Amino acid sequence: MKLNRRSALGLALSCGMAWATSGWAQTYPERTVTLVVPFAAGGSTDLVARVLAASMSKDLGQQVIVENVAGAGGNLGAGQVARAEPDGYTILMGTVATHALNPLMLKTKPYDPQKDFAPVSLLVLVPNVLMVNPELPVNSVQELVDLLKANPDKYSYASSGNGTPLHLSGELFKSMAGVEMQHIPYKGAGPALNDVIGNQVPIMFDNLPSSSSHIKAKTLKGLGVTTKERASSFKELPSIDETVKGYETYTWNALFAPAGTPPENVARLNKAALAALSDPDVKARMGEFSATIVGSTPEELGKHVQAEMAKWEPIVKSVGVTLD
């Protein structure tokens, strides 16, 4: 079969493009990958990210470095990744805050949680925990409810910031238990924990991973976990649902890339994430702070985000939380 000059040129270009695409798919990543954590260092999301990044680095053959971009309840870091070059070299450790709560509460939306991101993998589910300073004269969820009802508006609770899952955990508790507390937002779990330990604020909702060491050291008193079931690493802690029926909140961590990231790069990141989650050392670390390993396909994470927004929307409306 004879080819004219134009057909031959077209065939050559097609073959070249196919070769180049194959080469890109095989060589990614060729340099360091930055994993943006949209919260301060030391919190639950940061802990999960650092454990995962170390293991993913081995599988990818390139270093995955964690960069903390805190601010605006996670929106600053998430927005930065949404606007990043969609090449797979800047990815996000997303949470229920960045991909469900914030988009539901914010009047001005800095990004679309579904359109502006390429889902990679759901990683872990993490319980939250209700804690108090040891000087507060309560030893159970019921005793705290009784104290708050007897002293309306006298006590306050800390969280890692306005609109975070921990803030919503407190507001939902107030609504369902019929109590009043003033919310004191901080710029992350670390500074909030410091003030609760120092008894500047007596009550706090936090992620179990970042507060477990304080509970074990008895510098904070754990009253109950926010999941329906008790946490595997703290069987002695009841669930709040055992006292306040129907109460349940938790957070989750997942990997996202900017929308438009090549599917082959997303698939490579997904493979590395799933390999990390099956690493015995990673499993042990996650188990230490009761994070339940999940793992998923990109498509499953996309459906998860959609379901989480549908779940939280009526809760956000019921507690009336809006953010500028």
Side-chain angles (χ1 to χ4, degrees):
M1 181 176 62
K2 295 182 179 181
L3 295 175
N4 60 34
R5 185 175 181 180
R6 179 175 296 179
S7 298
L9 180 60
L11 179 61
L13 287 173
S14 297
C15 291
M17 290 178 66
W19 177 88
T21 301
S22 175
W24 290 333
Q26 291 173 0
T27 57
Y28 169 83
E30 296 180 303
R31 54 186 169 86
T32 296
V33 175
T34 298
L35 173 55
V36 173
V37 173
F39 302 101
S44 167
T45 301
D46 183 64
L47 291 174
V48 171
R50 291 180 187 278
V51 171
L52 191 83
S55 186
M56 285 183 66
S57 297
K58 300 174 189 176
D59 187 84
L60 290 171
Q62 295 287 346
Q63 188 177 12
V64 179
I65 61 168
V66 173
E67 179 183 350
N68 296 91
V69 183
N75 290 322
L76 192 62
Q80 178 175 306
V81 175
R83 295 184 296 272
E85 187 71 24
D87 53 13
Y89 289 99
T90 303
I91 57 178
L92 175 71
M93 179 61 76
T95 70
V96 64
T98 61
H99 279 72
L101 298 180
N102 291 349
L104 290 170
M105 291 184 290
L106 287 166
K107 295 177 182 176
T108 302
K109 318 291 184 185
Y111 57 83
D112 186 301
Q114 294 175 289
K115 294 179 180 179
D116 292 339
F117 294 91
V120 176
S121 178
L122 181 62
L123 303 170
V124 296
L125 303 181
V126 181
N128 300 326
V129 61
L130 168 59
M131 307 172 299
V132 298
N133 182 278
E135 294 183 20
L136 196 69
V138 298
N139 293 295
S140 69
V141 174
Q142 187 59 60
E143 288 182 6
L144 177 62
V145 170
D146 293 341
L147 179 69
L148 294 174
K149 285 185 175 180
N151 300 274
D153 292 323
K154 179 179 178 180
Y155 295 99
S156 57
Y157 77 97
S159 84
S160 56
N162 279 318
T164 62
L166 307 175
H167 175 201
L168 267 292
S169 292
E171 294 303 305
L172 186 62
F173 180 79
K174 286 166 54 178
S175 175
M176 295 186 69
V179 297
E180 290 298 328
M181 296 184 289
Q182 181 184 358
H183 174 228
I184 309 295
Y186 286 79
K187 293 181 179 179
L193 281 167
N194 289 337
D195 275 8
V196 178
I197 291 171
N199 207 23
Q200 278 76 38
V201 183
I203 305 164
M204 181 177 178
F205 285 85
D206 189 25
N207 300 131
L208 186 56
S210 56
S211 56
S212 58
S213 61
H214 299 292
I215 296 173
K216 291 175 181 176
K218 300 189 184 303
T219 52
L220 289 173
K221 188 188 302 181
L223 298 185
V225 294
T226 63
T227 46
K228 285 285 183 71
E229 303 296 328
R230 296 191 179 199
S232 58
S233 62
F234 282 90
K235 288 292 188 181
E236 69 277 14
L237 277 181
S239 67
I240 295 175
D241 172 71
E242 293 174 36
T243 302
V244 183
K245 295 301 179 184
Y247 182 91
E248 181 184 29
T249 68
Y250 56 82
T251 190
W252 45 265
N253 295 119
L255 285 182
F256 296 88
T261 298
E264 59 270 22
N265 292 7
V266 171
R268 185 68 186 91
L269 288 168
N270 177 267
K271 177 180 177 294
L274 295 181
L277 293 175
S278 65
D279 183 329
D281 291 337
V282 172
K283 286 184 176 181
R285 289 295 308 278
M286 297 299 179
E288 287 173 7
F289 40 72
S290 295
T292 301
I293 291 176
V294 183
S296 77
T297 65
E299 293 76 19
E300 288 168 340
L301 175 55
K303 292 177 182 178
H304 175 78
V305 169
Q306 188 175 18
E308 282 290 281
M309 292 190 71
K311 166 188 152 184
W312 280 102
E313 186 172 15
I315 297 174
V316 169
K317 287 182 177 179
S318 69
V319 298
V321 178
T322 57
L323 302 174
D324 293 328

